[in-house]
Amino acid sequence: MKKIGIIGYGWLGEKIASSLSGKYTISATTTTDNKVNDLNSKGIHVVLASFPDYQLTESLSQWEEIKNIDVLIITIPVSEKSCCVSSLYNRIQNLSAFIGDFKGQIFLMSSTGVYPDLPKDFTEEDVPLENVSGERMLRNRYPQLNILRLGGLMGDNRLLKNYNVGNLDHAVNHIHYADISAIITQMIESKTEAKLYNVTAPIHPAKSQVINAQKNIPDEEVFEVKGKKVLSSKLASELDYTFQYPDPRTFHL
């Protein structure tokens, strides 16, 4: 049975672990004390670890578990939106010290936020990873790194109607967590490496259409959906992947 390591056991980390736990042995990191005992009791080997961006942590030792891990999934943020480039360098150096010279499959959960807020359809070629500091730094360190640029994380309790949103006529770039897990599983099984994919549901309705669907309110009229759309056609084509939740208007069903 392959061993999976998840760096950052937050909302998404938990969803991925839950999906993979039947097929794989899971180890993970968390920054929360009270999660450690709870998760260890569920059979997930968890350690406390944080990767500060304000300084290099000299005392950070390599993860004891890393030598047993086949696949590593990184869910902690490594984007310039969360910190400046120098801080980002610190965070990635701290992360690299923790996982060492890992040679197995690695997945980075990046974000479609790397694309500018312009009214057009974006593919991976529009913003190559060389132009995204966090992606570039990690790929330089780990050439086998798969980068998944995730759209807005949705499913279960995460529904657009629960948020205060503007630009209601703009397209959504959402992804259901079940598709993220299924895509990772497929890439693990096919031993895919060094890929860059947008991960968004292939249908991009307006925010108002998604909210109306979640509130069971019929749309009154057809109108032009504005804003940017981040396309996942490369992933669908290269992996021959069919989305379980292609339309954000049905994520709540």
Side-chain angles (χ1 to χ4, degrees), residues 124-177:
E124 293 83 353
E125 288 69 34
D126 289 308
V127 180
L129 69 91
E130 290 79 13
N131 294 3
V132 182
S133 299
E135 294 179 358
R136 183 184 69 247
M137 289 179 195
L138 268 175
R139 178 64 75 77
N140 286 344
R141 182 79 174 79
Y142 303 99
Q144 76 274 33
L145 181 74
N146 291 307
I147 299 165
L148 303 183
R149 291 176 175 168
L150 307 180
L153 304 177
M154 293 290 167
D156 278 357
N157 57 330
R158 288 200 176 199
L159 297 173
L160 197 61
K161 69 176 183 179
N162 298 334
Y163 298 88
N164 184 18
V165 296
N167 298 322
L168 290 174
D169 57 350
H170 283 217
V172 298
N173 295 285
H174 287 172
I175 184 67
H176 195 287
Y177 67 83

Side-chain angles (χ1 to χ4, degrees), residues 80-122:
E80 288 176 59
K81 288 192 174 181
S82 62
C83 54
C84 61
V85 174
S86 60
S87 298
L88 197 55
Y89 173 81
N90 290 341
R91 171 165 288 181
I92 288 172
Q93 287 297 105
N94 288 330
L95 175 62
S96 298
F98 186 69
I99 63 177
D101 191 20
F102 185 73
K103 299 289 192 218
Q105 248 186 328
I106 311 186
F107 294 85
L108 171 66
M109 303 298 103
S110 186
S111 167
T112 54
V114 303
Y115 298 104
D117 199 10
L118 298 172
K120 62 166 285 187
D121 293 356
F122 285 97

Side-chain angles (χ1 to χ4, degrees), residues 17-241:
S18 177
S19 170
L20 298 179
S21 60
K23 298 180 180 177
Y24 306 100
T25 304
I26 310 289
S27 297
T29 73
T30 179
T31 57
T32 314
D33 264 317
N34 59 7
K35 274 189 184 178
V36 175
N37 291 334
D38 179 45
L39 294 173
N40 280 324
S41 70
K42 294 177 180 174
I44 298 173
H45 185 267
V46 180
V47 297
L48 276 176
S50 61
F51 310 97
D53 53 28
Y54 53 85
Q55 65 180 22
L56 291 175
T57 309
E58 301 296 334
S59 60
L60 191 65
S61 55
Q62 189 169 306
W63 193 9
E64 182 78 16
E65 198 69 17
I66 198 70
K67 60 183 181 293
N68 301 318
I69 286 172
D70 301 294
V71 180
L72 200 57
I73 299 168
I74 301 168
T75 72
I76 62 169
V78 289
S79 69
E80 288 176 59
K81 288 192 174 181
S82 62
C83 54
C84 61
V85 174
S86 60
S87 298
L88 197 55
Y89 173 81
N90 290 341
R91 171 165 288 181
I92 288 172
Q93 287 297 105
N94 288 330
L95 175 62
S96 298
F98 186 69
I99 63 177
D101 191 20
F102 185 73
K103 299 289 192 218
Q105 248 186 328
I106 311 186
F107 294 85
L108 171 66
M109 303 298 103
S110 186
S111 167
T112 54
V114 303
Y115 298 104
D117 199 10
L118 298 172
K120 62 166 285 187
D121 293 356
F122 285 97
T123 67
E124 293 83 353
E125 288 69 34
D126 289 308
V127 180
L129 69 91
E130 290 79 13
N131 294 3
V132 182
S133 299
E135 294 179 358
R136 183 184 69 247
M137 289 179 195
L138 268 175
R139 178 64 75 77
N140 286 344
R141 182 79 174 79
Y142 303 99
Q144 76 274 33
L145 181 74
N146 291 307
I147 299 165
L148 303 183
R149 291 176 175 168
L150 307 180
L153 304 177
M154 293 290 167
D156 278 357
N157 57 330
R158 288 200 176 199
L159 297 173
L160 197 61
K161 69 176 183 179
N162 298 334
Y163 298 88
N164 184 18
V165 296
N167 298 322
L168 290 174
D169 57 350
H170 283 217
V172 298
N173 295 285
H174 287 172
I175 184 67
H176 195 287
Y177 67 83
D179 277 306
I180 299 172
S181 298
I183 288 162
I184 290 172
T185 300
Q186 185 171 325
M187 292 176 73
I188 290 172
E189 290 172 354
S190 60
K191 299 181 170 59
T192 306
E193 292 195 331
K195 292 293 185 179
L196 168 65
Y197 290 133
N198 294 331
V199 184
T200 56
I203 298 172
H204 301 266
K207 295 175 188 176
S208 63
Q209 293 173 308
V210 174
I211 292 168
N212 285 345
Q214 290 169 357
K215 292 182 174 180
N216 202 24
I217 299 171
D219 283 318
E220 291 181 4
E221 57 184 287
V222 176
F223 62 91
E224 181 191 357
V225 180
K226 299 178 181 175
K228 75 176 178 183
K229 296 178 184 177
V230 180
L231 307 182
S232 56
S233 42
K234 178 183 172 187
L235 176 149
S237 170
E238 291 190 5
L239 297 182
D240 192 24
Y241 182 76

